[in-house]
Amino acid sequence: SLQKLHDKRHITGNEFHELTTAYEFLRRVEHRLQLRQGQQTHRLPDLPEQLHIVQRAVGADKTLQYAPGGIVAQVRERMAAVAEIYERIIHHQQLQAREDEAEFRLMPRAEQSGAEQPYHQLLQRVAEDSPALHEIAVRPELEAVTRRNLYRFLSAAFTSSERYAAVSRAPQAVERALALFGTSDYLTDILLRHPEEIASLNAAAPKSPEATPPLFAPEDGRDGGLLGDPQFEYLGAANAPYGEKLALLRRHYRHRVFASGATDILELRPVYESLRQTSLAADNALRAAFAIAGAPPGLAVLALGRLGTFEFDLLSDADVLFVREESLPAEAAARAAGQIMQTLSAYTREGTVFPVDARLRPRGGEGELVVTAAELHSYCVQEAHAWEALTFTKLRPIVGSSVAAQQAGEAAQALSRRFAADSGFPAAVREMRTRLEHTEPPEGNFKTSPGAVYDIDFLACFLATRHQLAGPCGNLRDRLCGLRKRGWLEEKDRANLDRAAELFRTVEHAVRLVVGKARKSLPATEHGRWAAEQLTARLLRREFLGGLEAELARAMAEVRGIYERVVS
């Protein structure tokens, strides 16, 4: 709530800092008190020894160790800061209310037009300043959802004169945004919070999907990165404050993701192209975080999961593995890895980049955050489970020591050799897949249900492990084609699995765009389900006889038959 008040300029940056710091501190004190006493309480103890215990328990604030008066003084100081802000804001609001009743006050027009202003007043102002934009806003054919989101966007633009000027000068971009307003809560929310992103849509309106100059078409580099993106490169080398680098990193990644999602809706880009571009943007963000953190030589960051297969989607977590050379001290490596994760995951005024998940490392959350290549190799040949053999087929280096990355790849190959010769491997894979089926209700679940995308992913990883297929594996389509070329998969099976995989990936991506959440089933609301089905059909350029749910059910039945036959 405080973040939104700050975004809308209702509280200053200093007030936001004071209030959030005080809130977190007072909540922490409250929690420690109640944890200690086993009952609800909001009062500090009186005895000095009890205060000392609470002070140690709160402990995250190191200044308490040296502050005169200890925790009592700290609590009073924070509460006084909050009270001062509270009184000032409430008093100002009361004075403003009395002035509004007593006399007419002249205000700047942009300030007058706030988010609560009636739509007809907002349109009147737009008509004065931008007739072309007004013509768009009053079109009678606009759907209710599109009209409502357009109104919300214009209201957000009125929160500052700079935003309003940028929007009023870009009616063509606003017209292109109508398709986003009617389809995507995810992209609409970005525009509401950051109306200046409308500039990403300033390209000429498309005439046909084939003739459209792409909004988002960076050039692929040989190492899987991107060429010609100086923003990410600047962040690592710039002599700028840490906070400024974090803000620039978040801003640029948000811009890239927004432009990518807009391209998907406006130009109907195939899902694998979209996922690849999002993955490459995530790669570059990781490289920038690596440089910002000042990671030492000898540390390597490798991708796993969907990032490893270039299928990183909107709202995905980045699965990574940190590996170090033997010469790099463990403490320095762990400190750098933690800083990289903090750089990407920490919540700031500009939001986050994306969550980073390092739990796929040896022994999961109980293991060391950074492992040596020798430790990884030992774990792979002695302790790793069957599911980890599947996971490590997706290992892909992103940034850092090429020596550590190469050694990590050799460890993954040793893991593959171990389970390729294990007669119990197929049964272990099937047992693990069955467990996942029962973690969530199967109805309409296009990820974990029998025959859903996990079946295809497990099958591809199973065959890659069994036949010791080395090297970066690519997306599901690439993997299925590679298995077919080597004769490990029948052509008919490959074609059916490829068609189903594209359907599942497209549906999932469309749902994320529509509702702004990482869901495993179709949206529950009527408009959300309709929008997801329409967007999926347009992206795949085909209709679904009987509806999308029936199409998903048919695909799952076909996939499960192939899975049962192959993973045996």
Side-chain angles (χ1 to χ4, degrees):
S1 298
L2 293 170
Q3 179 69 54
K4 289 186 177 181
L5 289 172
H6 186 216
D7 290 345
K8 298 295 185 182
R9 309 295 195 273
H10 295 305
I11 59 176
T12 67
N14 184 61
E15 289 168 344
F16 171 73
H17 173 74
E18 290 283 357
L19 292 172
T20 52
T21 302
Y23 179 80
E24 291 171 359
F25 175 76
L26 294 173
R27 281 296 193 200
R28 189 163 67 245
V29 173
E30 176 191 47
H31 178 64
R32 297 298 191 271
L33 283 171
Q34 297 186 10
L35 184 65
R36 174 167 170 73
Q37 299 186 21
Q39 60 184 1
Q40 189 177 48
T41 182
H42 306 96
R43 183 181 296 276
L44 288 171
D46 297 322
L47 297 178
E49 59 269 20
Q50 293 179 347
L51 280 172
H52 182 65
I53 292 171
V54 174
Q55 179 171 312
R56 288 180 58 195
V58 172
D61 190 338
K62 302 300 183 185
T63 61
L64 287 176
Q65 298 173 7
Y66 313 105
I71 192 169
V72 175
Q74 284 285 313
V75 168
R76 287 175 179 168
E77 181 182 332
R78 301 290 170 83
M79 290 173 65
V82 172
E84 189 274 329
I85 296 170
Y86 175 87
E87 292 296 338
R88 174 159 33 85
I89 291 178
I90 297 299
H91 180 65
H92 174 76
Q93 294 294 325
Q94 290 171 338
L95 282 179
Q96 183 173 326
R98 285 198 292 269
E99 289 175 5
D100 288 344
E101 293 173 1
E103 61 182 60
F104 174 76
R105 294 187 305 132
L106 290 175
M107 297 173 57
R109 289 195 297 172
E111 183 182 345
Q112 216 172 11
S113 305
E116 297 181 358
Q117 187 179 15
Y119 193 32
H120 69 276
Q121 293 182 18
L122 186 150
L123 289 178
Q124 183 178 359
R125 173 67 195 279
V126 170
E128 296 175 11
D129 298 331
S130 178
L133 186 57
H134 179 264
E135 185 277 326
I136 295 170
V138 298
R139 288 179 184 173
E141 69 272 16
L142 291 181
E143 298 287 341
V145 172
T146 304
R147 188 182 303 278
R148 181 174 67 250
N149 285 334
L150 174 59
Y151 166 49
R152 294 170 65 204
F153 169 71
L154 292 175
S155 297
F158 272 118
T159 57
S160 80
S161 57
E162 293 83 1
R163 288 174 166 178
Y164 176 60
V167 171
S168 62
R169 289 195 300 263
Q172 190 176 42
V174 174
E175 182 165 15
R176 298 194 78 187
L178 294 178
L180 312 186
F181 292 145
T183 302
S184 173
D185 286 350
Y186 178 77
L187 299 178
T188 296
D189 186 61
I190 292 178
L191 284 174
L192 293 180
R193 291 178 62 85
H194 309 281
E196 62 276 8
E197 283 293 347
I198 197 74
S200 302
L201 307 178
N202 263 329
K207 297 179 181 179
S208 68
E210 293 77 16
T212 303
L215 291 170
F216 182 78
E219 183 181 356
D220 291 1
R222 291 183 180 179
D223 62 348
L226 297 179
L227 300 177
D229 191 340
Q231 286 273 14
F232 281 124
E233 297 170 5
Y234 161 80
L235 287 170
N239 184 22
Y242 178 69
E244 182 180 333
K245 288 187 177 185
L246 291 192
L248 289 172
L249 177 62
R250 281 148 178 73
R251 215 172 294 152
H252 188 55
Y253 184 78
R254 181 184 67 236
H255 168 70
R256 294 280 300 275
V257 170
F258 174 79
S260 181
T263 300
D264 296 336
I265 292 176
L266 297 175
E267 301 175 10
L268 303 179
R269 180 172 55 180
V271 69
Y272 288 123
E273 292 182 23
S274 174
L275 297 181
R276 178 170 177 79
Q277 296 301 339
T278 308
S279 301
L280 293 173
D283 280 7
N284 273 335
L286 273 162
R287 293 189 182 104
F290 189 90
I292 291 171
L299 178 66
V301 183
L302 299 99
L304 290 164
R306 295 188 62 165
L307 183 58
T309 60
F310 292 103
E311 294 173 292
F312 195 75
D313 204 350
L314 309 172
L315 306 166
S316 288
D317 294 354
D319 292 312
V320 300
L321 176 69
F322 295 104
V323 182
R324 65 181 172 91
E325 296 179 24
E326 295 285 350
S327 58
L328 177 61
E331 289 186 7
R335 187 164 54 249
Q339 187 63 46
I340 292 168
M341 296 175 69
Q342 174 77 2
T343 299
L344 294 166
S345 304
Y347 190 84
T348 70
R349 179 182 174 184
E350 295 288 343
T352 65
V353 183
F354 46 72
V356 178
D357 191 343
R359 290 175 297 176
L360 292 179
R361 63 186 184 267
R363 303 178 191 87
E366 297 179 358
E368 296 293 332
L369 178 60
V370 185
V371 296
T372 66
E375 291 168 343
L376 180 62
H377 191 280
S378 175
Y379 178 81
C380 286
V381 298
Q382 295 178 14
E383 301 179 52
H385 302 283
W387 68 267
E388 291 172 296
L390 303 188
T391 296
F392 274 79
T393 63
K394 303 176 181 179
L395 191 69
R396 177 174 66 85
I398 294 180
V399 64
S401 167
S402 58
V403 173
Q406 181 180 349
Q407 292 173 341
E410 292 169 357
Q413 292 174 23
L415 177 60
S416 182
R417 287 193 299 272
R418 174 186 158 201
F419 279 99
D422 188 344
S423 60
F425 181 51
V429 170
R430 291 169 65 92
E431 179 186 358
M432 177 176 52
R433 177 67 185 98
T434 301
R435 258 200 321 269
L436 284 174
E437 291 172 13
H438 295 104
T439 57
E440 299 178 48
E443 292 79 13
N445 190 317
F446 44 72
K447 290 194 75 173
T448 62
S449 292
V453 71
Y454 276 16
D455 271 17
I456 307 175
D457 189 50
F458 269 56
L459 181 150
C461 293
F462 167 77
L463 290 177
T465 302
R466 199 167 198 183
H467 296 284
Q468 302 179 51
L469 183 60
C473 56
N475 61 40
L476 274 175
R477 170 164 289 168
D478 295 335
R479 286 185 275 166
L480 293 171
C481 287
L483 295 170
R484 171 68 191 112
K485 287 179 181 178
R486 291 168 174 80
W488 302 333
L489 193 64
E490 297 293 332
E491 172 56 27
K492 182 180 179 182
D493 290 342
R494 183 212 61 80
N496 290 333
L497 290 173
D498 178 58
R499 185 166 54 250
E502 185 179 32
L503 172 66
F504 297 146
R505 285 291 190 229
T506 303
V507 170
E508 181 184 17
H509 182 61
V511 169
R512 292 185 183 209
L513 275 172
V514 168
V515 301
K517 296 179 182 178
R519 291 177 53 92
K520 299 177 183 178
S521 58
L522 294 176
T525 64
E526 182 178 350
H527 176 266
R529 184 166 292 227
W530 175 85
E533 181 165 348
Q534 291 297 310
L535 181 56
T536 301
R538 292 172 63 217
L539 289 171
L540 292 174
R541 292 177 169 80
R542 59 189 173 101
E543 297 181 0
F544 305 119
L545 300 177
L548 181 55
E549 280 191 279
E551 185 75 12
L552 288 169
R554 283 194 294 270
M556 289 181 193
E558 194 166 41
V559 168
R560 178 40 65 114
I562 300 172
Y563 170 85
E564 294 283 2
R565 177 162 33 86
V566 173
V567 186
S568 62

